[in-house]
Amino acid sequence: DARLTYDARPDQETAGSETTDEHRRAQIPGRQHDPPAGGSGMAGGTMRIGITLGDPAGVGGELALMLIRELGPTAPVTLFGSMAQVGRAAAALGMTPPLPFRPLPAEAADQPEAYLGGPTLLDLVTLTPQDVLPAVPTGPGGQAQLRYLSLGAQAAKQGHIDALVTGPVNKGNISQVMGSRFSGQTELLARLAG
């Protein structure tokens, strides 16, 4: 009988609950929450989470960086995105180098070692500063979103990650790249999963 508790901190008010001095973490009995030495995956007790950053002109980069900042330097998280997108997001959040992840080139996506340890960014596409302007969709941005989703799905199928979280996408932008074959990221992931 698994129980899930919430994360309440003394400096946060949570609707419907009292703030306590004790910091409670989300816990699932029997599940280890700190990364095991030398690996990830369900067998080791820790889930490796993949996060696609979504539309380079959107907020996916900011959301992912805020999550990593909250979870800390040992968080078993892999970002599927672009250094340009994350760089813009970091600047918007007032974050300065070094950023809280290990950047790896796209070629590393097939290597199991790329999914070990703390936060990792797989830098999958080269985007220009114009491609990551907030709220300004571009053709390369639409292609980037598709690449993030397809490589995230591939990593899940290969067992490199245990779950995939998708950042917000721009359906219209992706439809310009794929045409009528795109109806949404959920449907695309279902097709990619086979």
Side-chain angles (χ1 to χ4, degrees), residues 46 48 72 74 78 92 95 120 126 135 137 169 176 178 181:
T46 297
R48 182 81 185 182
T74 62
T78 298
M95 297 173 78
T120 302
T126 301
V169 299
Q176 289 177 345
M178 286 190 71
R181 295 175 296 159

Side-chain angles (χ1 to χ4, degrees), residues 115-191:
Y115 301 92
L116 300 177
T120 302
L121 167 70
L122 290 170
D123 189 9
L124 302 176
V125 295
T126 301
L127 296 171
T128 68
Q130 291 76 25
D131 294 327
V132 297
L133 289 173
V136 181
T138 66
Q143 293 169 347
Q145 294 172 73
L146 287 173
R147 183 148 168 87
Y148 303 164
L149 289 167
S150 64
L151 289 178
Q154 178 181 327
K157 283 179 74 171
Q158 293 173 340
H160 296 314
I161 59 174
D162 300 300
L164 183 64
V165 177
T166 58
V169 299
N170 181 322
K171 284 185 180 183
N173 194 237
I174 295 175
S175 293
Q176 289 177 345
V177 175
M178 286 190 71
S180 62
R181 295 175 296 159
F182 183 76
S183 56
Q185 63 186 350
T186 304
E187 293 81 3
L188 176 62
L189 289 171
R191 270 201 318 248

